Amino acid sequence: MTRLEDDELREHLVRRAGSAPASARFADAVRAEIATVKQERRRPWDGSGLAPHVAPRPMPVWRTAVAVLAGALVVTLAASFTVHGPAGSPAPSPAGVWLLTSDQLIQVVKSTSTDPSNVGKAVVADVRLSRWVTDCAMPCPPMMYTLNGYPGPLIRVEGLPHATACPSPASDCIVPVPSAGQMAVIIGRGAVTFLGWVRLGPADGAWTPGSISTLLANPTSLQGRLVVVDGWLTGYGGAISCPLAGDEAYGCGDAAWITTQRYVSTWTSSNAVAVYPPSDGIRVQNGAYEAFAPASSAGVAPHHGLYLIDAVGPVVSCFDCTSTGGVGRLVARIDPIAFPGSQTASPPSQEPVASSPASPDAGSWYMDQEELVASVRQARLGIGVGRVVVADVTFGLGGDCRGSANPPYCYAVIAGADPPIQLRDARRDCPPTWYCAFIRNPIVPGGGPFVLKILGDGSVSFVDYLATPASPSSPGWPAWSFDELRVRLGRLDGSRFDDYQAYLVSGWISGAAGIPRCLYQPGADPRFDCGQAAWLTADPAQPNAFPTDGWPLTTPTNSIRLQNGAYADFAPSPTPRGPATAPEPEFGTFLVKAVLPAPGCVFCDGPVAEVIARLDPP
Amino acid sequence: MERELVEAARAGDRAAYDALVRRKVESVYRTARTILGHDADAQDATQEAFVAAWRHLPRLRDPERFDAWLGRIVVNACRQSIRHRGAVREIAMPVEVGESHFGAMTAPGADPGGSVVDAISFDRAFERLSIDDRAILTLHHEDGRGLDEVAAILGIPTGTVKSRLLRARRALERSLERERPS
């Protein structure tokens, strides 16, 4: 073993300590930052020296807030007292809004190909699951699940634990499973992600915080099922922080609760912030308020809604817990579902999701500075909002960049544009798996061209850097030829910065008509696993064959494998037009990114890439 | 004198806290820089620590223990910084706003000369240690704090400090072993 003497260890540590930054200047920057921060006058009765993470007992609701300003003790009766008291019970939520039938769920999921507004929402649905075994030749084949049996719309249910039992009889590839009931899912594009089975409350409705408290204290009786609770989500909302706290979900931190009645737990004055834990309700994990309350400028206003809760039971160390005994993990907020109405069939042609070209000029997605400025001005009038373009522009600093090291109103802008065009979502040009030296905000990207999205408020959003072919004089620059890109993607090893950037390429996109027969590989990247595979090819390719018992696939040769569902997302006619026809390949210009490290892949004949946008008009 | 400053700052006197910041900023920065190994991260951790200390100062019961209390906050700020980092590869990059720089893969700092272990190997080995191991080695060997003081900062008994120091030292030596050419 390498021995290290004390002197040598100290020498290395002193070297690591380096030289202090210009102390006075740095101290000024620190002091400037502190000048914007209020001292936390958290519960004067709760001063606790070196161990502020020790949980105090919950205090009664009605308290006097004490604020101290510049040494003068000011005792203030909290002006917002009225909000702590009873404020009326929440209105009951109509069952039809959040508890869907199986058909309703299928309808909503199918509509995501044209209307993504429901993607990411959590719902509860009364469903029956069917197993869809993809390869009966396996001794114990892995399984996918679909909704409502077969035949029928195949809507993949992801996130379910893999079944260990083989179908019986083994020759029957489509075996109904006795899995039926109320299931909580997150809606995705053409699929749903399983969150858990749900135990409904009285009268098949939601629970109230009061009615669920006994079950939360003894969660074994729920048998792992989630519950839907109708109540008010409230929390400290970042009003306190616990610098000495650990990672405990229910320890000192941004505590949150679901209460029966509207309750404000944080009170802010011009001088201080005081917090008041509720005396009843369900204590949920720290940070739940920030994660699940809708973003608004309303500060820490409680939010009324339906919340999906996983019962945790009593915890040993519980900070500001209520007296009900058990705590819950808030899994999701259930939002009302917008039904697609009477529309049941997909329209014949849809715009790609990540691109909405407004100009009929096929080349209009590549812009110089002047063209981009003009397009941003047009977008302010509602023309071309959301377009993804490639722009060769220069960025500079705008706003107020004076003062501290990281002034809050200093941001990147398109250099020379008047009025200024702000760059939003700029990020450092550092690959996600690397550690790069810190680049202080505001980030000003350099070395274009860049992929940008034009927003409707007179700004642009940064999408990515564009990796271009080595020779600017090559045909089609900054796009890559298909063959050139295919070779390049196959060689990427993540050692270069531009390995992680976006590539522009034209080609034919094709995709699976339905869920194909294939092995579902546990642990594989779901984007490239058995599923609705898609490919990019130099020449048109039709991967679908049309026998009567499903949609066997032939992997196109010399192709770039794209993420599952890419055809539906980026080709204008994503759905099959009839029982014996398949979606046709589409020619387009796409922005793709390499997937590093290369994932396990089904239906691959070459490299893999992820489409992030389509640039040409469909 | 410092006690008065802490008491005044605890009561909300910003000028008193400014004076404390001026006094402490260099030592706090050095501790953070040693643990984290990067200027910008250390500056951020230092700033986070002072801001957190200001916010929570009213809850410090004994002004005499301000140093230990602040030290603990600094260690936790470093812990947060490391959590947010997700380091896989180290690159020293010249940083200038408005340009992309893809620098060489070198660790900052020069070989201290005469050392058996070179600086790059030491830094790589040190950064494989847990934050607790890094902190205890830094507080004792770089900051020169006694065992009692380290115990107060980390909130553990003095006897435990001794055993953890030994454990951290062994962990560092094992980590250095991995740096030796095979």
Side-chain angles (χ1 to χ4, degrees):
Chain A
M1 184 181 294
T2 303
R3 296 305 301 262
L4 201 58
E5 299 302 324
D6 273 2
D7 287 347
E8 194 179 2
L9 172 59
R10 184 170 297 112
E11 194 177 353
H12 276 297
L13 292 174
V14 168
R15 174 188 53 79
R16 278 179 67 84
S19 55
S23 290
R25 196 171 159 199
F26 181 53
D28 285 345
V30 172
R31 286 157 52 208
E33 184 74 18
I34 292 164
T36 65
V37 177
K38 292 174 186 168
Q39 257 189 346
E40 189 176 285
R41 299 288 161 190
R42 184 177 186 278
R43 297 184 299 197
W45 50 85
D46 186 34
S48 54
L50 275 173
H53 59 288
V54 177
R57 297 299 304 161
M59 299 297 287
V61 172
W62 299 92
R63 286 182 182 152
T64 301
V66 178
V68 179
L69 174 63
L73 187 65
V74 181
V75 180
T76 312
L77 280 174
S80 53
F81 262 5
T82 51
V83 298
H84 296 298
S89 296
S93 301
V97 173
W98 59 274
L99 181 56
L100 310 181
T101 65
S102 194
D103 286 343
Q104 284 174 321
L105 178 60
I106 289 169
Q107 190 184 2
V108 169
V109 175
K110 284 182 71 180
S111 72
T112 56
S113 63
T114 57
D115 173 16
S117 63
N118 289 320
V119 172
K121 286 185 177 176
V123 294
V124 178
D126 199 347
V127 299
R128 180 169 61 85
L129 285 179
S130 295
R131 285 190 299 213
W132 170 252
V133 184
T134 53
D135 189 346
C136 293
M138 296 284 290
C140 192
M143 299 167 200
M144 292 193 294
Y145 291 83
T146 71
L147 292 176
N148 248 18
Y150 182 88
L154 290 175
I155 292 182
R156 183 160 156 175
V157 182
E158 297 171 337
L160 278 162
H162 284 277
T164 53
C166 296
S168 178
S171 59
D172 185 357
C173 281
I174 302 152
V175 184
V177 289
S179 297
Q182 289 79 40
M183 184 174 74
V185 296
I186 298 280
I187 294 171
R189 289 183 188 278
V192 296
T193 302
F194 177 80
L195 290 176
W197 295 101
V198 173
R199 178 159 165 186
L200 294 178
D204 284 348
W207 300 83
T208 64
S211 65
I212 198 65
S213 59
T214 308
L215 282 173
L216 287 183
N218 303 286
T220 50
S221 58
L222 284 171
Q223 296 178 309
R225 291 182 178 242
L226 308 173
V227 292
V228 177
V229 177
D230 187 341
W232 293 82
L233 178 60
T234 187
Y236 287 157
I240 68 164
S241 60
C242 302
L244 310 184
D247 284 333
E248 300 89 354
Y250 302 92
C252 180
D254 281 326
W257 307 265
I258 297 173
T259 58
T260 305
Q261 296 179 330
R262 187 174 188 276
Y263 182 87
V264 176
S265 54
T266 303
W267 171 73
T268 306
S269 76
S270 59
N271 307 325
V273 177
V275 293
Y276 304 81
S279 58
D280 60 7
I282 301 168
R283 172 72 156 88
V284 290
Q285 75 272 23
N286 293 345
Y289 177 81
E290 291 79 1
F292 295 103
S296 74
S297 57
V300 286
H303 179 253
H304 176 229
L306 291 159
Y307 300 97
L308 204 56
I309 303 288
D310 186 13
V312 173
V315 290
V316 175
S317 173
C318 196
F319 173 75
D320 280 353
C321 277
T322 55
S323 56
T324 51
V327 301
R329 184 174 65 89
L330 207 170
V331 176
R333 193 184 78 214
I334 296 175
D335 285 331
I337 280 294
F339 280 98
S342 58
Q343 180 182 327
T344 54
S346 299
S349 177
Q350 296 298 323
E351 284 186 350
V353 172
S355 173
S356 52
S359 165
D361 177 4
S364 65
W365 44 262
Y366 186 77
M367 298 180 171
D368 60 18
Q369 188 136 327
E370 194 176 321
E371 290 165 332
L372 179 65
V373 170
S375 295
V376 172
R377 284 184 186 145
Q378 277 193 314
R380 294 196 78 138
L381 305 173
I383 303 167
V385 176
R387 290 178 68 194
V388 176
V389 299
V390 173
D392 195 1
V393 295
T394 305
F395 296 104
L397 282 173
D400 184 357
C401 298
R402 299 166 299 174
S404 63
N406 189 12
Y409 302 110
C410 183
Y411 42 77
V413 295
I414 295 177
D418 185 20
I421 295 176
Q422 185 177 347
L423 177 69
R424 300 185 186 278
D425 310 317
R427 59 173 170 74
R428 66 185 75 175
D429 50 350
C430 177
T433 55
W434 290 27
Y435 174 71
C436 302
F438 190 77
I439 299 173
R440 298 193 72 83
N441 286 327
I443 296 164
V444 179
F450 310 98
V451 183
L452 305 172
K453 188 173 188 176
I454 298 173
L455 305 179
D457 62 354
S459 65
V460 293
S461 170
F462 187 84
V463 177
D464 216 317
Y465 295 84
L466 189 73
T468 55
S471 170
S473 60
S474 62
W477 193 95
W480 296 68
S481 75
F482 180 85
D483 292 336
E484 210 179 6
L485 181 64
R486 190 168 181 274
V487 170
R488 182 170 178 81
L489 288 174
R491 288 180 180 164
L492 299 186
D493 60 4
S495 64
R496 294 164 51 90
F497 276 78
D498 55 4
D499 290 359
Y500 298 87
Q501 297 175 353
Y503 293 84
L504 186 60
V505 66
S506 293
W508 291 84
I509 188 170
S510 57
I515 295 183
R517 287 176 179 273
C518 48
L519 274 179
Y520 186 44
Q521 299 182 337
D525 185 331
R527 294 174 298 172
F528 300 95
D529 197 1
C530 172
Q532 287 191 290
W535 301 268
L536 198 64
T537 50
D539 300 313
Q542 176 53 273
N544 299 284
F546 320 109
T548 55
D549 60 345
W551 292 90
L553 281 180
T554 304
T555 304
T557 55
N558 295 323
S559 57
I560 297 172
R561 172 73 152 88
L562 307 176
Q563 74 268 27
N564 293 339
Y567 181 83
D569 287 343
F570 295 99
S573 305
T575 50
R577 299 186 193 108
T581 60
E584 294 298 322
E586 280 280 329
F587 185 80
T589 302
F590 303 93
L591 279 164
V592 302
K593 291 192 75 168
V595 181
L596 295 169
C601 185
V602 177
F603 298 124
C604 288
D605 181 49
V608 298
E610 185 179 17
V611 187
I612 58 171
R614 178 175 175 174
L615 295 185
D616 60 320
Chain B
M1 176 62 182
E2 185 164 301
R3 181 190 171 94
E4 285 80 33
L5 285 175
V6 174
E7 284 180 342
R10 195 173 57 168
D13 184 340
R14 286 184 187 275
Y17 193 68
D18 283 352
L20 281 172
V21 170
R22 279 196 300 273
R23 283 182 176 210
K24 304 286 181 189
V25 68
E26 188 166 342
S27 66
V28 165
Y29 173 82
R30 286 180 63 85
T31 302
R33 178 68 173 74
T34 309
I35 293 173
L36 297 172
H38 294 87
D39 290 336
D41 287 352
Q43 288 181 21
D44 283 349
T46 303
Q47 183 159 306
E48 287 296 318
F50 279 116
V51 169
W54 166 252
R55 291 183 67 181
H56 298 281
L57 198 51
R59 292 152 64 179
L60 174 66
R61 185 174 294 167
D62 181 1
E64 297 290 351
R65 305 186 74 180
F66 176 75
D67 262 351
W69 183 76
L70 180 62
R72 199 162 165 190
I73 291 176
V74 173
V75 170
N76 278 286
C78 293
R79 194 190 309 277
Q80 292 296 327
S81 175
I82 286 173
R83 271 184 201 152
H84 293 154
R85 188 195 284 171
V88 168
R89 192 179 304 213
E90 298 168 10
I91 307 163
M93 293 172 54
V95 176
E96 288 177 23
V97 167
E99 291 182 34
S100 296
H101 294 277
F102 309 141
M105 293 170 56
T106 57
D111 190 330
S115 170
V116 174
V117 178
D118 68 86
I120 294 175
S121 299
F122 180 88
D123 285 350
R124 276 203 296 250
F126 190 76
E127 285 166 20
R128 277 196 292 268
L129 299 185
S130 70
I131 183 71
D132 291 326
D133 286 348
R134 291 192 220 179
I136 203 164
L137 289 172
T138 300
L139 292 171
H140 186 62
H141 290 287
E142 199 281 322
D143 291 1
R145 297 179 191 261
L147 297 180
D148 290 342
E149 208 177 348
V150 174
I153 289 174
L154 298 181
I156 54 179
T158 305
T160 308
V161 171
K162 287 182 189 169
S163 61
R164 287 201 186 169
L165 263 174
L166 186 64
R167 191 183 66 186
R169 189 72 170 263
R170 293 288 168 265
L172 178 59
E173 288 171 352
R174 279 196 302 274
S175 184
L176 281 167
E177 193 66 21
R178 291 173 56 186
E179 295 297 320
R180 292 182 61 176
S182 55

